[in-house]
Amino acid sequence: MIMDELTQVAEAVKALARDIAPRLEYTPKYGGEVFVSNPAEPQSFVGGIFLYKNHLSIEFSDGANFDDPQGLLEGKGKARRHLKLHNLAEITEKSVTGFLRQAFD
């Protein structure tokens, strides 16, 4: 049952991303789908969506440089950060729209 809910979360996140970046495409990679911001350049991915057993992870390639005053982004690498989502409500609670806007700017 949780996988059905995570699939719904993934579809909702993808719909938000399409609203922000209409030319956005998704490419299967690394066991998930990466956001390709410029279809003419397949390597122009800025992050992606990955489903796990108990959560969905939205990865941001340059997330370390995002404005994150609430400290919602996780990770400690040089550049990449991620958000873990467990349900639809967390899309709003964890400011997914704002982070997607930063990723596609």
Side-chain angles (χ1 to χ4, degrees):
M1 184 66 130
I2 191 156
M3 204 43 112
D4 290 341
E5 185 170 9
L6 292 177
T7 300
Q8 290 175 6
V9 174
E11 291 305 315
V13 169
K14 288 163 80 171
L16 280 173
R18 272 189 227 103
D19 287 345
I20 296 165
R23 293 184 55 223
L24 184 69
E25 290 186 5
Y26 302 94
T27 301
K29 198 172 195 123
Y30 310 123
E33 292 182 275
V34 296
F35 302 121
V36 179
S37 60
N38 182 353
E41 297 177 31
Q43 295 303 318
S44 68
F45 62 89
V46 296
I49 299 174
F50 301 87
L51 289 172
Y52 295 94
K53 184 177 177 181
N54 295 311
H55 70 280
L56 172 139
S57 179
I58 306 172
E59 305 282 334
F60 298 103
S61 300
D62 196 33
N65 293 315
F66 286 6
D67 183 33
D68 182 19
Q70 294 177 301
L72 298 170
L73 293 171
E74 299 180 45
K76 299 194 185 294
K78 280 177 113 174
R80 186 171 296 178
R81 295 290 183 273
H82 65 275
L83 288 172
K84 288 182 184 175
L85 304 179
H86 301 88
N87 56 56
L88 288 166
E90 287 185 323
I91 291 173
T92 302
E93 293 167 7
K94 294 191 175 184
S95 305
V96 171
T97 301
F99 290 121
L100 289 172
R101 287 188 194 287
Q102 290 183 70
F104 303 133
D105 274 348

